[in-house]
Amino acid sequence: MKMKEIKAIDISKHQGTFNAVKAKAAGVDVVLVRHAYASGMDRKALSWASAIRAQGLPLGGYGFATWHYKSKNGGSEATARALMHQQVAAWIDAAKQSACTYWFAVDQELEGGQQMGLGAVANTNLLNEACDLLEKAGLHPCVYCSVAWEMTYIKSADLHHPYWMARYWDGKADFGDRGADIQHLPNGRYTRRMIELKDAGRLVGWQFASTGLGRKYGAGSDNLDRNIFYQHPAEKPTFGEVQPAVHAQYIAVGPLSTGDQKAVLDKLDKLQIGSHIKEGVIYTDIPLSNGDQAAMIQMATTLQVPIRMQDGPFAQSVKPMEPGKPAEQYSVVYMAAVVKGGFASQEEAVEYIKAVLGKDAMDRMDIHVSV
């Protein structure tokens, strides 16, 4: 039986203006408002919250987290924890003022030029702590992120709270379109992961599009995020088991200068990953987890050297294509070398790079996607 679908939009000061009357008339069921960026309250939050409540629409919210940024925490979990407490306290204060009653999300992503400063275990621990603080304050917490982010930086089996997840197939889709139906997404690893999380009760909301339609739903901006929620917070989702989201791959870095070889080998040694060198290229002896892949991509782009990934050791052929997987697969290309392949769509490949290297990485590092 198909789950009920709750039509939701999310807004922030970047929308400029917002007409709650128009949003309700256009069929919106729920509005989620950004309450804060880090510890600073969104200047539009309280006035828009009042207008939303006046229309009888459920009011949700989110806080944009920055405690995971390496530029903020210096790679220290203790520093990140202190920042998290500071930011979440500000969110709770804002949510109490707005009378938020729907889902309240911890928004975790990377802005352009930022790097992730936490490993998956530490990040998951802090997300749990942040959501626990929100719940203790009477809110209904969830975690907002992309599918690529979840697969790289979160241990879902250890996360105690559900997801509101971003994944675009048709970024211009409206409610009711094929692009707003999860069953019509390309049959790639991201789609399968989303369905697995949804079936396990861990995916309560999906942000399916963000381009256009702002005016239709009362926003002052051209673009507006559209979401489908599957559960109201009062329903208290019951979690089923999920498999670890690890798509391990072998890595080749180089060719490298002698100095860069030492830097890469030192990094691999810290990650406890064996490797060998052949003609100036370093090859890993074991496949790397998503988190370690991200660390090596960041290092390669910093050193400005090619990096490649594949499912099997580089001396052997890669695994055959999975049954039912699209024949047309997309690859991320950096410095004329394939960083990672096997993506079901261009959007999936771009999402991976944005999650790992920041929203502006495609342009900033001259990374592109090809078939």
Side-chain angles (χ1 to χ4, degrees), residues 253-258 261 276-283 308:
V253 185
L256 298 158
S257 66
T258 302
Q261 283 182 27
H276 62 278
I277 303 175
K278 183 178 180 180
E279 298 178 353
V281 178
I282 295 177
Y283 299 89
R308 290 169 288 152

Side-chain angles (χ1 to χ4, degrees), residues 128-173:
N128 276 328
E129 292 175 29
C131 288
D132 289 347
L133 290 170
L134 292 167
E135 190 170 54
K136 188 177 179 180
L139 300 172
H140 303 286
C142 62
V143 173
Y144 170 91
C145 65
S146 69
V147 189
W149 186 272
E150 180 268 336
M151 295 182 73
T152 306
Y153 297 122
I154 302 176
K155 301 285 188 182
S156 285
D158 299 325
L159 188 69
H160 305 154
H161 301 272
Y163 287 108
W164 165 24
M165 195 164 277
R167 169 83 167 95
Y168 305 151
W169 176 50
D170 175 5
K172 298 180 180 179

Side-chain angles (χ1 to χ4, degrees), residues 37-154:
Y37 174 94
S39 299
M41 184 181 287
D42 189 307
R43 57 186 172 80
K44 296 286 190 177
L46 295 184
S47 62
W48 285 351
S50 178
I52 292 163
R53 293 198 318 272
Q55 292 304 307
L57 292 171
L59 171 67
Y62 66 98
F64 190 98
T66 63
W67 63 72
H68 56 288
Y69 286 7
K70 191 171 184 179
S71 63
K72 303 290 185 182
N73 63 37
S76 164
E77 183 178 349
T79 301
R81 179 172 282 105
L83 289 169
M84 180 273 289
H85 278 272
Q86 182 183 45
Q87 292 178 18
V88 172
W91 302 353
I92 291 171
D93 181 62
K96 286 182 177 178
Q97 292 184 60
S98 72
C100 179
T101 58
Y102 205 69
W103 295 108
F104 192 99
V106 177
D107 181 347
Q108 193 171 63
E109 51 190 296
L110 287 181
E111 294 175 285
Q114 297 291 343
Q115 291 185 3
M116 181 57 162
L118 297 170
V121 172
N123 189 49
T124 304
N125 289 340
L126 290 185
L127 285 172
N128 276 328
E129 292 175 29
C131 288
D132 289 347
L133 290 170
L134 292 167
E135 190 170 54
K136 188 177 179 180
L139 300 172
H140 303 286
C142 62
V143 173
Y144 170 91
C145 65
S146 69
V147 189
W149 186 272
E150 180 268 336
M151 295 182 73
T152 306
Y153 297 122
I154 302 176

Side-chain angles (χ1 to χ4, degrees), residues 18-35:
F18 177 65
N19 186 328
V21 175
K22 190 171 184 178
K24 183 177 181 179
V28 170
D29 299 314
V30 175
V31 182
L32 297 98
V33 177
R34 188 181 78 166
H35 282 55

Side-chain angles (χ1 to χ4, degrees), residues 21 185 198 216 221 232 264 343:
V21 175
L185 295 181
K198 181 170 175 279
K216 176 178 179 179
S221 60
H232 292 297
V264 171
F343 294 102

